[in-house]
């Protein structure tokens, strides 16, 4: 069967759940026995998400092959339960970079290189490449942003060109938002009608509309949308808010979304097999007893709003582990800067069952994190440090156990007297020359575990593979001193040169990892370290 392409575009506003919808539809199709992959198109000029502040763009999701991508790639991995590689992600910057490089190499053979058709052609080349190399039945392609924006117009043009190349291989799904203004008390379809018309102006006609809303869209409004938007009524899919995004595949399946999509291609629809998935959603329903985890970070606040999306994979990994242990996770988002301004606030940490400090960059908020780690260590609250959270744990140990009051990371203080965390070998040049995009230590690396440690017991194997994203590392000049003082190095690179995991033994759970385990946690296969951490939190 030639590959079919399903584009997912957004209407009305951003953040309505195109990623979760794409991933959930992918899961439904995969459950019918098809080979499915998903791609994300980010309209930004940034070549990758690595150079974007998480407050602006959300989490940077790292693929096994070290691409710094959009958080939706994480949704695809979690719903499809497979690793997705860099070919599946593109940005405007990346597309233009290819076109310009090709022009410099005379690959256009003297032609005048134009925004249209050469840019959309490059987009199509990338989509075709994924279809051919991954040998899939379906490629789902999510175009970031909403219709009517200037930024994603060339991607919509690529969609239109692919459709005119082979109309029966392309379908378009519009994920739209239907507000219920409190003053009116009625669900309004007009913004979605406008979105459909706006898509039409770029030559794109949605075949399906996913209706995101607070409440489920009712029959009269479904009929209205069908009539005004030229879409069959059974192609209007209700997607009201749910308590967990993992319920969406079943909600789609109950409405026959996969069946009508396949029928639109003239294909038969095998039965969906979502049994494993319903085991998950049942576990979510059953988990009522709570476990409270504090996540201490600094990228939450924007004006008066809080953005937990910045740590999306961490949040999901905590949920996966908690559900597998029959608990309902309750997560407190705590701002590390609060503890710098007023250390007495640290006392609020005693109400938590576990504390997690995720990755981070730069100097803001770091002293607050170090204070919180000291509190967790001394008050024996289970602590899990990820990347910067591990580096801060090393600094805390050096300062407060070894008495090295000037211990620091050179990221914080380049002239630190005791740089227990320093720049990785080969990174100095990047920093000096300002080559900062895509030059971190990225992607999957092996790590050997020391026997009889908390970490080794959690994983149950001797070697692991985890994803990384960092520029600084544990300074081996201090390794012996720190180990003598009780810090256990429980994981290192196979050549013994890089400390990847530290822990302490006289504590219910105190583990810091240089890598990002959250990227490998899957709803049906929680990550062993998260499970061990949440288990310790439950026991506390
Ligand atoms: N800023 C630290 C480094 O670059 C940690 C990075 C992270 O937490 N992802 O090494």
């Amino acid at each position: 069967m030639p590959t079919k392409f399903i584009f997912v575009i957004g209407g009305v506003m951003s953040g309505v759940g195109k990623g979760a919808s794409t991933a959930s539809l992918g899961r439904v199709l995969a459950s019918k026995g098809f080979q499915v992959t998903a791609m994300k198109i980010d309209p930004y000029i940034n070549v990758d998400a690595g150079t974007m502040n998480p407050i602006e763009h959300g989490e940077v999701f790292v693929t096994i092959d070290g691409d710094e991508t959009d958080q939706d790639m994480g949704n695809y991995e979690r719903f499809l339960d497979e690793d997705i590689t860099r070919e599946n992600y593109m940005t405007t910057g990346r597309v233009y970079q290819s076109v310009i490089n090709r022009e410099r190499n005379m690959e256009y053979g003297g032609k005048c290189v134009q925004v249209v058709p050469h840019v959309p052609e490059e987009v199509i080349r990338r989509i075709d490449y994924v279809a051919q190399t991954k040998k899939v039945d379906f490629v789902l392609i999510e175009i970031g942003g909403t219709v009517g924006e200037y930024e994603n117009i060339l991607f919509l043009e690529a969609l239109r060109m692919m459709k005119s190349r082979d109309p029966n291989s392309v379908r378009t799904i519009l994920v739209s938002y239907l507000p219920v203004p409190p003053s009116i008390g009625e669900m309004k379809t007009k913004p979605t009608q406008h979105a459909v018309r706006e898509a039409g102006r770029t030559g794109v006609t949605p075949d399906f509309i996913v209706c995101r809303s607070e409440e489920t869209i009712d029959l009269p409004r479904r009929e209205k949308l069908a009539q005004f938007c030229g879409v069959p009524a059974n192609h209007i899919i209700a997607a009201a808010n749910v308590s967990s995004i993992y319920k969406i595949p079943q909600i789609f399946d109950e409405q026959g979304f996969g069946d009508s999509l396949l029928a639109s291609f003239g294909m038969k629809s095998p039965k969906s097999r979502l049994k494993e998935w319903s085991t998950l959603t049942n576990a979510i329903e059953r988990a009522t007893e709570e476990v409270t985890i504090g996540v201490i970070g600094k990228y939450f606040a924007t004006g008066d709003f809080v953005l937990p999306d910045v740590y999306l994979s961490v949040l999901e990994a905590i949920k996966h582990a908690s559900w597998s242990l029959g608990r309902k996770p309750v997560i407190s988002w705590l701002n590390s800067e609060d503890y710098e301004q007023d250390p007495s606030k640290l006392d609020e940490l005693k109400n938590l069952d576990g504390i997690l400090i995720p990755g981070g960059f730069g100097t803001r908020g770091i002293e607050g994190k170090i204070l919180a780690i000291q509190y967790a260590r001394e008050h024996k609250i289970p602590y899990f440090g990820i990347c910067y959270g591990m580096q801060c744990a090393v600094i805390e140990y050096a300062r407060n156990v070894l008495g090295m009051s000037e211990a620091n990371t050179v990221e914080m203080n380049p002239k630190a007297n005791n740089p227990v965390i320093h720049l990785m070998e080969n990174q100095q040049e990047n920093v000096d020359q300002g080559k900062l995009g895509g030059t971190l230590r990225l992607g999957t690396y092996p790590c050997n575990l020391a026997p009889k440690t908390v970490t080794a017991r959690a994983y149950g194997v001797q070697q692991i593979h985890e994803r990384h994203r960092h520029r600084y590392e544990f300074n081996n000049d201090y390794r012996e001193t720190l180990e003598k003082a009780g810090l256990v190095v429980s994981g290192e690179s196979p050549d013994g040169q890089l400390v990847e995991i530290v822990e302490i033994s006289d504590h219910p759970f105190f583990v810091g990892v240089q890598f990002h385990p959250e990227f490998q946690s899957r709803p049906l296969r929680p990550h062993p370290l998260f499970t061990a951490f949440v288990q310790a939190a439950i026991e506390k």
Side-chain angles (χ1 to χ4, degrees), residues 378-392:
E378 291 176 353
H379 291 77
K380 306 241 185 270
I381 302 173
Y383 173 71
F384 192 13
I386 293 177
C387 209
Y388 221 2
M390 172 266 200
Q391 297 176 354
C392 290

Side-chain angles (χ1 to χ4, degrees), residues 214-469:
E214 313 286 319
E215 303 157 33
T216 305
I217 183 169
D218 62 0
L219 196 60
R221 266 146 280 262
R222 222 179 250 249
E223 285 167 350
K224 193 168 175 183
L225 263 189
Q227 188 185 9
F228 287 130
C229 302
V231 171
N234 67 335
H235 287 198
I236 307 254
I237 310 297
N241 286 355
V242 271
S243 53
S244 164
I245 55 168
Y246 296 115
K247 292 183 182 163
I248 305 172
Q250 287 157 304
I251 292 171
F252 281 178
D253 196 49
E254 281 156 15
Q255 297 177 69
F257 193 0
D259 307 325
S260 36
L261 181 65
L262 289 163
S264 81
F265 285 118
M267 293 168 69
K268 282 210 187 73
S269 182
K271 204 171 156 7
S272 312
R273 295 187 193 285
L274 287 164
K275 196 158 168 262
E276 237 190 338
W277 207 256
S278 42
T279 314
L280 168 76
T281 50
N282 289 342
I284 298 173
E285 286 294 319
R286 270 200 314 273
T288 47
E289 211 178 326
E290 297 180 346
V291 57
T292 308
I293 307 291
V295 176
I296 304 179
K298 67 166 181 179
Y299 298 116
F300 308 122
T302 152
D304 292 340
F305 299 94
V306 165
L307 290 182
D309 259 18
V310 169
Y311 303 106
L312 187 67
S313 295
V314 170
L315 171 65
E316 293 307 308
I318 295 172
K319 289 183 192 168
H320 305 158
S322 305
W323 293 328
S324 77
L325 296 166
R327 292 297 174 117
K328 176 180 178 174
V330 176
I331 307 198
S332 301
W333 303 105
L334 305 165
N335 189 341
S336 62
E337 285 172 293
D338 290 349
Y339 308 128
E340 291 171 11
Q341 282 144 20
D342 179 6
S344 74
K345 278 206 175 148
L346 285 163
D347 255 354
E348 71 184 11
L349 301 179
K350 69 171 183 286
N351 303 320
L352 300 167
D353 299 325
I355 295 173
L356 188 152
I357 299 193
F361 290 84
T363 55
R364 184 168 65 85
I366 181 174
E367 289 299 338
K369 291 182 186 179
I370 294 169
L371 288 173
I373 295 168
Q374 180 179 12
Y375 191 96
R377 186 176 53 77
E378 291 176 353
H379 291 77
K380 306 241 185 270
I381 302 173
Y383 173 71
F384 192 13
I386 293 177
C387 209
Y388 221 2
M390 172 266 200
Q391 297 176 354
C392 290
V394 173
I395 299 167
E396 191 280 320
Y397 206 81
R399 284 189 191 173
N400 301 321
V401 179
L402 274 173
M404 236 178 239
S405 61
E406 299 203 22
N408 217 331
T409 163
V410 297
E411 183 171 0
M412 176 85 169
N413 175 7
K415 296 198 171 66
N417 276 335
N418 297 117
V420 289
I421 304 295
H422 68 166
L423 207 52
M424 297 183 73
E425 218 189 308
N426 72 24
Q427 283 287 352
Q428 192 64 51
E429 197 186 314
N430 291 331
V431 173
D432 291 346
Q433 298 180 7
K435 289 187 185 154
L436 299 176
T439 57
L440 295 164
R441 178 174 180 241
L442 291 166
T444 301
Y445 287 93
C447 165
N448 292 345
L449 303 181
K452 299 198 176 77
T453 53
V454 172
T455 314
R457 275 195 296 278
Y459 278 100
V461 291
Q462 285 166 356
Q463 193 179 64
I464 56 165
H465 292 82
E466 293 281 2
R467 302 183 199 180
H468 296 69
R469 180 173 184 245

Side-chain angles (χ1 to χ4, degrees), residues 42-69:
D42 247 344
Y44 304 102
I45 293 180
N46 303 61
V47 171
D48 56 44
T51 54
M52 289 184 239
N53 185 329
I55 292 178
E56 290 202 24
H57 181 260
E59 170 183 271
V60 177
F61 185 84
V62 181
T63 58
I64 44 168
D65 54 347
D67 200 7
E68 296 172 282
T69 72

Side-chain angles (χ1 to χ4, degrees), residues 38-254:
M39 298 179 71
K40 168 84 189 203
I41 298 177
D42 247 344
Y44 304 102
I45 293 180
N46 303 61
V47 171
D48 56 44
T51 54
M52 289 184 239
N53 185 329
I55 292 178
E56 290 202 24
H57 181 260
E59 170 183 271
V60 177
F61 185 84
V62 181
T63 58
I64 44 168
D65 54 347
D67 200 7
E68 296 172 282
T69 72
D70 183 81
Q71 62 187 32
D72 280 326
M73 296 279 282
N75 278 328
Y76 308 158
E77 288 206 1
R78 288 185 282 270
F79 279 77
L80 294 174
D81 198 9
E82 64 182 39
D83 294 335
I84 292 183
T85 46
R86 61 171 65 239
E87 303 79 28
N88 285 40
Y89 179 64
M90 72 178 103
T91 63
T92 297
R94 199 170 279 192
V95 170
Y96 268 88
Q97 204 173 44
S98 301
V99 172
I100 292 169
N101 287 342
R102 201 162 291 144
E103 183 276 330
R104 290 290 80 186
N105 298 337
M106 281 297 289
E107 286 177 47
Y108 290 102
K111 273 212 176 86
C112 172
V113 183
Q114 293 179 291
V115 168
V116 178
H118 296 108
V119 173
E121 275 175 7
E122 169 61 19
V123 175
I124 295 171
R125 191 192 65 74
R126 284 168 176 262
I127 296 170
D128 282 339
Y129 180 81
V130 167
Q132 280 152 18
T133 53
K134 306 213 167 160
K135 297 193 174 48
V136 287
D137 303 311
F138 292 96
V139 185
L140 293 141
I141 308 125
E142 180 189 344
I143 301 181
T146 38
V147 289
E149 278 171 22
Y150 186 70
E151 285 194 316
N152 57 17
I153 208 109
L154 290 170
F155 300 110
L156 295 170
E157 176 64 5
L159 189 181
R160 193 198 61 76
M161 284 164 68
M162 281 186 77
K163 179 113 185 178
S164 65
R165 178 180 79 176
D166 178 9
N168 199 36
S169 71
V170 176
R171 293 292 175 268
T172 305
I173 296 166
L174 174 77
V175 180
S176 194
Y177 183 69
L178 291 98
V180 183
S183 55
I184 304 174
E186 184 202 335
M187 183 179 286
K188 304 306 280 180
T189 61
K190 193 65 61 73
T192 300
Q193 295 177 40
H194 282 305
V196 171
R197 217 155 287 150
E198 197 57 53
R201 274 153 45 92
T202 55
V204 171
T205 323
D207 301 293
F208 289 80
I209 302 175
V210 172
C211 301
R212 291 282 299 110
S213 48
E214 313 286 319
E215 303 157 33
T216 305
I217 183 169
D218 62 0
L219 196 60
R221 266 146 280 262
R222 222 179 250 249
E223 285 167 350
K224 193 168 175 183
L225 263 189
Q227 188 185 9
F228 287 130
C229 302
V231 171
N234 67 335
H235 287 198
I236 307 254
I237 310 297
N241 286 355
V242 271
S243 53
S244 164
I245 55 168
Y246 296 115
K247 292 183 182 163
I248 305 172
Q250 287 157 304
I251 292 171
F252 281 178
D253 196 49
E254 281 156 15

